[in-house]
Amino acid sequence: MKIKNIVLVGGLFGLLGLGSCKTTEANYRAAYEKAVAARDSSESIDDTVYGKFRRELGSQTVTTAQGDVEVKTQLVKVTKDGGGIPEMLRRYNVVVGQFKQKFNAVSMRDRLADNGYPGTFVIETAEPYYYIVTGSYTTLDEAASALAKLAAAKPQGMREPCPFILDATARRAPSKAK
């Protein structure tokens, strides 16, 4: 009889506990407000792991036939399922977008490919951070010319600091398949 009462009391507390775990509008609202506060906080992207790798993104101003252009340098590789192959990656790349999520980068690449930029592909850094490349060139003058045309056309979805030229001189070797 004693065991039966203990099981009954335990079951009653269990049911009460389940009822208190319901998701409510207040819970959603609290989570939303916390996310908004985090977004609006003074912590910038430079305080995160992505900021660390952006700080490692070397930058220099170089004079070309198009005038002075800023050239950034970083280790990159072609992203698997990003629309490109390692042989497409040359030294100078015109970057039109950058994302933390591969899905977003591939989506932008698809939109650009459908709207007049068929050779667009995605490259990634070590952490990974994804860049959308509309053209990859062997000379800086070619890349600067393409950058000037792109800046004049202003394709949809570009936000600061894009577009820019990325020097992939020290690009990483493609991953080995296991």
Side-chain angles (χ1 to χ4, degrees), residues 98-128:
Q98 55 188 16
F99 295 94
K100 292 185 261 184
Q101 300 293 324
K102 180 180 175 182
F103 174 82
N104 295 334
V106 171
S107 293
M108 183 176 185
R109 189 249 327 163
D110 291 343
R111 286 191 307 276
L112 286 165
D114 291 342
N115 290 302
Y117 298 92
T120 303
F121 61 99
V122 180
I123 58 176
E124 66 185 84
T125 61
E127 66 276 358

Side-chain angles (χ1 to χ4, degrees), residues 88-106:
M88 293 174 71
L89 185 61
R90 306 254 182 331
R91 180 171 180 178
Y92 298 105
N93 301 276
V94 177
V95 175
V96 296
Q98 55 188 16
F99 295 94
K100 292 185 261 184
Q101 300 293 324
K102 180 180 175 182
F103 174 82
N104 295 334
V106 171

Side-chain angles (χ1 to χ4, degrees), residues 77-79 84-90 121 171-175:
K77 70 175 184 175
V78 174
T79 302
I85 56 173
E87 291 77 22
M88 293 174 71
L89 185 61
R90 306 254 182 331
F121 61 99
R171 60 184 177 260
R172 296 185 295 148
S175 302

Side-chain angles (χ1 to χ4, degrees), residues 124-136:
E124 66 185 84
T125 61
E127 66 276 358
Y129 198 76
Y130 300 95
Y131 294 116
I132 297 86
V133 174
T134 56
S136 193

Side-chain angles (χ1 to χ4, degrees), residues 28-40:
Y28 280 119
R29 182 53 141 176
Y32 172 77
E33 288 172 359
K34 184 177 179 182
V36 168
R39 180 195 69 198
D40 295 340

